[in-house]
Amino acid sequence: MAALDAGHPVAATADELGLSARQLHRRALTAFGYGPKTLARVLRLQRALALARAGTSLAETAVRSGYADQAHLARDVRELAGVPPASYSPGTASGAKRSTPWPSGSLTTAYRWPQGASQGLRSPWQPAPVNSS
């Protein structure tokens, strides 16, 4: 699977392993729960998120991770991780440079707070506090 992680096409990876593309797909489904193309997307996303967490700009992260552009990276992050890519930028809850404390702006009215959650205590993208009891 290192070939997929390096960005090689599925067919080329199957050839390198001495398998047909169909055999590689079946084996990937058994091992990972999804096909080799999805695995390649997940591996590329992991590389991108590591760069973003290290403070690399999203545009640079996209280029260095093998995405066509920043919009392509943003689509993959939303589809695979379910959150906006800016939530992985260090230092801010939304990835934007904020001069006011969270919450402010229209996000607080657009975001549907989970039932029973106290509004205004934390960003919807920040993890909930862990109870250490």
Side-chain angles (χ1 to χ4, degrees), residues 41 44-45 48 61-63 65-69 72-73 76-77 80:
R41 287 179 66 200
R44 179 174 58 182
L45 179 63
T61 294
V63 170
S65 301
Y67 289 94
D69 54 21
H72 185 197
L73 167 64
D76 255 14
V77 172
L80 297 172

Side-chain angles (χ1 to χ4, degrees), residues 45-70:
L45 179 63
Q46 288 177 343
R47 287 192 310 270
L49 294 180
L51 288 169
R53 287 181 184 125
T56 306
S57 73
L58 292 178
E60 180 69 18
T61 294
V63 170
R64 289 174 54 186
S65 301
Y67 289 94
D69 54 21
Q70 186 175 343

